[in-house]
Amino acid sequence: MSKGSTAPRPGDPGTGTGRAAGPRRGGSRSGRPPRGGRLFRDGAPGGPVLRLFARWVRRPLLPAVRLWRRNIQLRIVAGTLLMSLGVVLLLGLVVIGQVRNGLLDAKEQAAQSQAAGGFSAAQDKAATTPSAPGQQDGGRAGASVNWRSTLVEQLASGGQSAFNVVALSLDTDDAASRGVRASGEVDPAKSIPADLRHQVAQGADTFQKFTSIHYTSEKASEAGLVIGKRLNDAEGDQYELYYLFPLTQEEDSLTLVKGTLATAGLFVVVLLGAIAWLMVRQVVTPVRMAAGIAERLSAGRLQERMKVTGEDDIARLGEAFNKMAQNLQLKIQQLEELSRMQRRFVSDVSHELRTPLTTVRMAADVIHEARVDFDPVTARSAELLGDQLDRFESLLSDLLEISRFDAGAAALEAEPIDLRQVVRRVIGGAEPLAERKGTRIVVVGDEQPVVAEADARRVERVLRNLVVNAVEHGEGRDVVVKLAAAGGAVAVAVRDYGVGLKPGEATRVFNRFWRADPARARTTGGTGLGLSIAVEDARLHGGWLQAWGEAGGGSQFRLTLPRTADEPLRGSPIPLEPEDSRRNREQAAAGRAQEGTRLTSVPAQSAGDRPQLPVPPRLPVPPRATVDPTALPGSGARVVARTAADGDGGGAGTATAGANGNAEREDGTRGR
């Protein structure tokens, strides 16, 4: 049996006629938003209402997003479920396709065998039925129609609702030959496609096609297979005989297979998710325990350890973690013991030296008072002995103060004070040194009260160190002391125009006993601990002690304190880099030069043919921010290096470094 053509099976993709084009996306090809549109974070244009709606939609999703980012177990299980679902869907599609093809192939073979037997029986009956001679054309046509009706009833009786039979006359001009006979209330006009009838009428082979079977009654249409062939009846007239096989049983079987696969696939996905959850939990739980124990270790609870069970990789990780924690605890205890011994040694030595120092001081005073009776060399030795004893006493006091800071025993006696009075006392004490150096101390910003809750003794000690250092390193130039208050902070800045700072010195300026120039003599008898104690005093107040400097251009030290005790600082009312720094001057000069270049680049024109161009208004220069961004903790300090070609102290080149501690870690400083 040959096949002229085969119709697509139910569910097979038919010939595509092209997809309708979807709505075109707005915006240009370059991806820019429409003009006048505003963007969300995701790039969608919209106005305030849409932004509020997006915020309202995004708000309930934030906890889920946060949980997704922080929970690795959830991500692994969700990924396992998604991949399992994809695999199950893929396998389900493959199995359903194979089952569908198998059912259709079996149905097609059975239908072809049944139809072949029916066609053969119809042909045999036409050959054995004698024709009635002498009848008119009308009588012969009626006999042919009656013969087909009998044939359809006989052929359909063996189907038992497994198939239906339809007999149609060929499309000719003879109206009498258009008799239609069908079994099972089949609607031949809708059930048999026109292209199949055309193929049957044109050829002598058997043709088939998958289509929908319609009925004249209220019975719903159903998918089926139609097989047709052109035959001759008992009168020798040609007609079309079709077998219609419903595919109801195959569809029911395929539906059952789909349901079974869906149920089994869902069960498999859930089971794989549960298995993944249990497996990942065995790995994630020790990691979470290690994270929690690490947090407690960082909080100071050094006795925390992980619980180790088994001998697998997780157990080895726990043993290594416990060993690390034990070694860390031992090292910290050793360091604490060494630090405790060091602090105790410094404190004990300082206290023990006070008694012999007092005795030496008394003897030195007696010698110093009687120096007029000595020869010049002995008298000078008596004076030097007194000066060094004064320095020795200052060093002991500073060491005792440092030991208090190290031991955490330093107490802050904060009360509201006016920093202007503290600055006046400091300047009054530094006037004799300033007169010897030829330096003038200028105070700026003392018109308004600058009040803060602070320890007056410690603040005065900090400012005394800064002012004395500025006078000593100022090379006889002016020293400017600036006061300011803004927001919740007050600040005092000490600016000098002396030797300044070199690159790399900022990281060591607050170190104990460090000097910028070891060959430089201390004219004020300093101990080398002044800035270290000053930094600790600033930290005790919750404030900052920071510095800026440039080689040959001087330096500026800034003390920033909160107005209210225990109030966190967010900025300083005085910029750390002064306005008259070399970098700011160069930028201002470059701006003026660029503006002059713009003005001189216009070609000269005669007054007669020169048009009157509108002059745009000059934009106002934005004021300098009152809060210095570099004052925020974590930012780097700038130390400007002096170049060899810079004869007047200007120069280029920068270096960023942080000093020790939180208060000075953002700025470079110079050593004192």
Side-chain angles (χ1 to χ4, degrees), residues 16-57:
T17 57
R19 292 182 297 176
R24 298 187 63 182
R25 298 180 182 270
S28 61
R29 293 183 178 179
S30 61
R32 297 178 179 176
R35 291 187 178 180
R38 305 181 68 178
L39 293 177
F40 293 119
R41 292 181 180 178
D42 56 355
V49 177
L50 293 180
R51 287 199 301 273
L52 289 176
F53 176 75
R55 191 181 298 113
W56 177 76
V57 173

Side-chain angles (χ1 to χ4, degrees), residues 140-419:
R140 189 166 53 249
S144 178
V145 171
N146 293 333
W147 181 86
R148 295 175 196 170
S149 300
T150 304
L151 178 64
V152 168
E153 292 176 359
Q154 292 178 356
L155 295 178
S157 61
Q160 297 180 355
S161 71
F163 58 86
N164 294 307
V165 181
V166 175
L168 299 176
S169 299
L170 292 177
D171 293 334
T172 61
D173 296 336
D174 190 0
S177 65
R178 295 181 182 274
V180 178
R181 293 295 179 265
S183 66
E185 299 180 349
V186 174
D187 187 354
K190 298 180 179 179
S191 300
I192 300 176
D195 55 349
L196 180 61
R197 292 201 60 187
H198 179 72
Q199 294 174 0
V200 171
Q202 296 296 327
D205 296 330
T206 301
F207 300 91
Q208 67 181 26
K209 187 174 185 179
F210 288 96
T211 184
S212 297
I213 301 176
H214 300 270
Y215 300 92
T216 56
S217 61
E218 297 180 356
K219 185 178 179 180
S221 60
E222 56 187 355
L225 175 63
V226 180
I227 301 177
K229 186 176 182 181
R230 187 181 63 184
L231 301 173
N232 295 325
D233 58 7
E235 300 296 331
D237 298 329
Q238 293 183 347
Y239 69 99
E240 302 170 6
L241 185 63
Y242 296 94
Y243 272 77
L244 290 78
F245 297 90
L247 301 177
T248 306
Q249 295 181 357
E250 286 73 16
E251 288 185 345
D252 294 341
S253 301
L254 190 61
T255 302
L256 179 61
V257 171
K258 290 181 180 179
T260 304
L261 289 177
T263 304
L266 181 61
F267 177 76
V268 169
V269 169
V270 174
L271 183 60
L272 289 177
I275 294 174
W277 180 272
L278 293 177
M279 294 297 101
V280 175
R281 183 179 180 85
Q282 295 182 5
V283 179
V284 173
T285 299
V287 174
R288 290 177 178 173
M289 292 176 56
I293 293 175
E295 292 177 355
R296 291 192 288 273
L297 285 175
S298 63
R301 300 169 60 181
L302 302 179
Q303 71 280 2
E304 293 289 337
R305 297 294 184 271
M306 285 185 63
K307 183 179 179 181
V308 179
T309 57
E311 299 179 357
D312 54 2
D313 296 337
I314 300 298
R316 291 199 299 270
L317 174 62
E319 292 176 356
F321 186 90
N322 291 338
K323 187 179 296 184
M324 178 193 67
Q326 183 177 359
N327 294 335
L328 181 63
Q329 182 181 10
L330 181 60
K331 293 296 182 182
I332 291 177
Q333 290 176 354
Q334 292 177 354
L335 292 176
E336 288 179 350
E337 185 65 25
L338 290 175
S339 178
R340 190 181 305 109
M341 293 175 59
Q342 180 183 6
R343 292 195 302 267
R344 184 174 179 179
F345 174 77
V346 173
S347 179
D348 292 345
V349 169
S350 302
H351 282 288
E352 292 297 331
L353 286 178
R354 282 193 173 278
T355 301
L357 180 61
T358 303
T359 304
V360 174
R361 163 60 67 186
M362 294 174 61
D365 289 342
V366 174
I367 296 174
H368 189 272
E369 291 177 357
R371 69 183 183 278
V372 293
D373 300 330
F374 300 151
D375 58 274
V377 176
T378 307
R380 178 57 182 166
S381 299
E383 293 177 357
L384 292 177
L385 178 61
D387 294 340
Q388 294 304 316
L389 284 175
D390 292 339
R391 183 179 177 184
F392 193 18
E393 287 182 343
S394 300
L395 178 60
L396 284 179
S397 300
D398 291 345
L399 287 175
L400 286 174
E401 190 69 22
I402 286 291
S403 65
R404 294 190 189 98
F405 283 120
D406 291 340
L412 184 67
E413 299 177 0
E415 60 180 0
I417 60 172
D418 191 348
L419 295 183

